[in-house]
Structures are given as structure tokens and as C-alpha cells.
Amino acid sequence: MIDQTKLPHVFQITSSKDHAETAHAIRNMVLRGAGAIGVAGAYGMAQAAMEAENLSMNEFESYVEAAADRLMRTRPTAVNLFHAVDRCLNATASGSVAERVHKAVAEADTIAEEDISASRSIGEYGRELIGDGFCVLTHCNAGALAFIDFGTALSPIRFAHRQGKNMFVFVDETRPRCQGARLTAWELQQEGIPHAVIVDNAAGHFMRRGEVDMVIVGADRVAANGDVANKIGTYEKAVIARENGIPFYVAAPRMTFDLNCGSGDEIEIEERDASEVLGMWGIDEEGSPSRVLIAAKDTPARNPAFDVTPAKYVTGFITEIGILRPPYSESIPQAFGGVGIA
Ligand code: RUB
């Protein structure tokens, strides 16, 4: 895993020795982003199966079920984690212990390969929506760090730029964890795509002045009716985009759709620690990791990590099978009936 807590200042590959460490890495956002969490959950299940390979069948089954439970309790909102862990658990449901171990590893590899292929297709379909000279606004990080190999929201941007289109990207800072300022800006810099980081509060300003042609974001879970859970602040961007007649697209593969979820009201929204709101962290001028307090230490704070954008604000979903358009209660089930769990 790339340790995303250290980016953009230090690029460090880290690894986890067992599924418990993988769960810890997901919880603490060493890696984050719906797709990356899903793939990490899948490999966590593969690790658990390997850890249990010398146990009896009954012990093996209990061990992997407990591992699935531990991995699924790390972060509640992104559905990719649940789909991926379920798929790996199902893969270990038959055969000898040795065969089950093999199947768990193979299923994790398959999920990773599917994500790579989906992210490429999202880029290929999505680039057609981006005109030459466009200015695109994005929120949080839905790039290659969040979803292997090209990202979701950043994939169309990447592919349009590779096509030779002139473009500019406004990157929302995305407090409190600053995934935009730290991660999206870093990815765009790697790819040579012109961009500027803006504070979260500035998006409306640029939209009202006509400086934004479209918004593209990723998603952590899309309900069957098209409501979208994504990083906190997404909802505001969608409403302001609508107010200003700016198209608002959500880039998401089938693994992010949850047909068992009728509407956004059923999506559990993760609440994280208040310390993320009360402080900021980065590096000091000597390059050492450093944390500063903004508010007084004991100030009460609320820290919802996600919000729900009602489907009516979404111009279209950029998926690996094409662009889905409203009415979503028809187009989503048509496209992804039987979604997620193999
Ligand atoms: C990440 C986030 C991203 C989505 C989309 O939240 O909200 O926009 O996960 O990512 P966090 P993807 O940083 O808290 O995990 O590209 O995987 O669909």
C-alpha cells in the first residue's frame, strides 16, 4: 500500500503482515477511497484465509468469518468494502481448506483486476463529456490512490488530458483530512494537469462567476434511486452547481452501487474523531510531520465524514458501461441488477 497519510510530502510503500493490520490501515486511512478500501478488504480476507490454512475446517470457517466481521467494522459508508469482503467470504464457502485459501486469494485478485478495468472504462466514457478548454471542479480524492488504476472522478480528467484537451481543474481542499489538497493535487501534478487548490468555501464563488464548466466527483455508495454518499461537502457542491446551471457528474463503478439500499437515507454516515476538525497536520519547514491545533483542545466538534446528495442533483453517472441518465430508479437497476455480490 502507498501510505496516504504521508503524501504528498513522503512517498512510502507500507505493508501489513496480517488481516488485523490491514483492518487497522483501513480504519486509520493509511489507504482510503471507496475502491481502495474494497480491494484492501478483499486482500485482508485473502490474508485471513492464509493465516488459517493449517486449521481444521470448522476453525477455518470461524476464523475467516471473524476476519470478515473485523474488516467490515472498519469504515461503514463505502459499500465497496462490503461487496468485496462478501465476495471473498463466499469464495471460501466450499472445497478443502487449501482450495478455499486459493479461492480467497484468486477472488481478491479478480476484484482488483475488475477495478482496474472499470477505472479505465470510466475514463474512456467520461472523457467525451469534457470539452476542450473546460474547467472541471472536483472534491476529495477520487483518483488512482482511491481506486486502482486510474481513479473514478480523475479518470475522465486524466484521459481527456491524454487526448490533448486543454483543461484546468479546481481541487477542493476537502477539510478535515484534506484529501484534495494533499492527494488530488499531488496526482494532477504527477500527470502534468493544470490545477489549483481552493478552500472548500470558494467553490460557490468560482461557480457563480462562470469559471467552472462541470463538476465530477466519486462516490462511496450510490443507492438504488441514485442518491449519492460521498465525502462531506459534496452535497453543497451539487446544489450550487444546479443553482448555476453547471453539470454535476458522479463517476462510479458497479461495485459502488448498492441496490439493497433504496435511498440515501438508509446509508450509514461515518462520524470520525473530533480531533480531525480541531487540528491540521502536515510537515514543518524542516520536513518533520507536525500537527497544529486550530481550536481550543476541548472545543466540541462534529465530524461527519460523508454526506448524501439527492439524485435530483446528479446530471449523470459515469460508469464502466457508459453514462447513466435519469430517471435513476429505472436506469440504475437496468444497468446493475444483481449488483456487487457475485
Ligand atoms: C473518499 C471519498 C471519495 C470516494 C470516491 O473518502 O469520499 O470521493 O471514496 O472514491 P475517504 P472512489 O477519503 O474518507 O475514504 O474513487 O474509490 O470511488
Side-chain angles (χ1 to χ4, degrees):
M1 298 172 279
I2 297 168
D3 185 340
Q4 299 191 35
T5 63
K6 297 201 165 64
L7 283 174
H9 310 294
V10 178
F11 181 91
Q12 189 174 305
I13 304 281
T14 181
S15 56
S16 57
K17 70 173 186 331
D18 54 29
H19 82 275
E21 277 194 13
T22 300
H24 195 256
I26 296 171
R27 175 84 194 104
N28 293 317
M29 297 176 70
V30 170
L31 71 125
R32 33 61 53 205
I37 293 171
V39 172
Y43 280 111
M45 287 299 291
Q47 285 177 305
M50 291 164 77
E51 286 154 36
E53 69 184 333
N54 294 321
L55 302 181
S56 69
M57 182 61 81
N58 280 347
E59 287 167 339
F60 176 89
E61 284 177 352
S62 318
Y63 192 89
V64 292
E65 273 165 26
D69 186 53
R70 182 197 289 251
L71 288 160
M72 290 198 284
R73 274 189 290 107
T74 51
R75 297 196 70 193
T77 304
V79 75
N80 309 54
L81 174 67
F82 299 91
H83 286 156
V85 169
D86 268 337
R87 280 177 57 170
C88 289
L89 193 59
N90 289 342
T92 65
S94 64
S96 66
V97 167
E99 283 163 351
R100 292 176 191 217
V101 172
H102 178 77
K103 285 195 224 169
V105 176
E107 190 65 16
D109 285 340
T110 303
I111 292 169
E113 289 301 329
E114 283 175 9
D115 276 11
I116 292 168
S117 149
S119 73
R120 173 184 288 281
S121 301
I122 284 171
E124 287 169 349
Y125 283 114
R127 72 177 162 196
E128 303 306 328
L129 301 168
I130 302 176
D132 193 33
F134 260 34
C135 181
V136 183
L137 183 137
T138 191
H139 191 67
C140 194
N141 172 264
L145 292 164
F147 195 97
I148 52 173
D149 241 348
F150 303 95
T152 52
L154 286 199
S155 188
I157 292 171
R158 217 181 279 283
F159 277 79
H161 183 255
R162 287 181 188 179
Q163 247 182 336
K165 287 178 181 161
N166 283 318
M167 49 193 302
F168 188 85
V169 183
F170 277 122
V171 180
D172 289 343
E173 175 188 34
T174 321
R175 277 280 289 151
R177 302 279 300 212
C178 295
Q179 290 94 327
R182 295 190 306 108
L183 307 176
T184 300
W186 180 79
E187 284 197 39
L188 293 171
Q189 191 181 39
Q190 303 296 307
E191 190 101 4
I193 302 174
H195 63 280
V197 173
I198 56 172
V199 297
D200 295 315
N201 301 338
H205 168 76
F206 288 113
M207 287 200 231
R208 197 189 63 78
R209 288 193 352 171
E211 294 191 39
V212 176
D213 295 294
M214 69 190 297
V215 178
I216 312 181
V217 298
D220 290 88
R221 191 184 296 229
V222 182
N225 70 346
D227 290 351
V228 177
N230 191 48
K231 180 53 53 193
I232 190 76
T234 303
Y235 171 46
E236 293 173 10
K237 306 301 175 285
V239 174
I240 303 168
R242 169 62 53 84
E243 168 71 12
N244 290 281
I246 297 165
F248 179 91
Y249 284 96
V250 176
R254 76 191 293 270
M255 281 285 270
T256 307
F257 285 77
D258 184 358
L259 289 199
N260 295 321
C261 191
S263 84
D265 293 339
E266 294 168 34
I267 300 174
E268 186 180 342
I269 299 295
E270 177 182 11
E271 285 246 9
R272 295 185 64 86
D273 202 85
S275 61
E276 292 182 348
V277 175
L278 300 179
M280 290 277 272
W281 62 98
I283 56 167
D284 63 21
E285 282 174 15
E286 273 74 51
S288 309
S290 164
R291 177 174 158 71
V292 291
L293 277 180
I294 300 170
K297 214 164 64 205
D298 303 330
T299 309
R302 293 287 305 272
N303 188 12
F306 302 95
D307 60 24
V308 171
T309 299
K312 67 177 181 182
Y313 293 109
V314 180
T315 309
F317 288 95
I318 309 170
T319 78
E320 69 270 51
I321 57 166
I323 314 295
L324 306 187
R325 301 282 181 185
Y328 297 122
S329 48
E330 288 171 21
S331 57
I332 290 175
Q334 245 167 40
F336 296 133
V339 70
I341 299 161

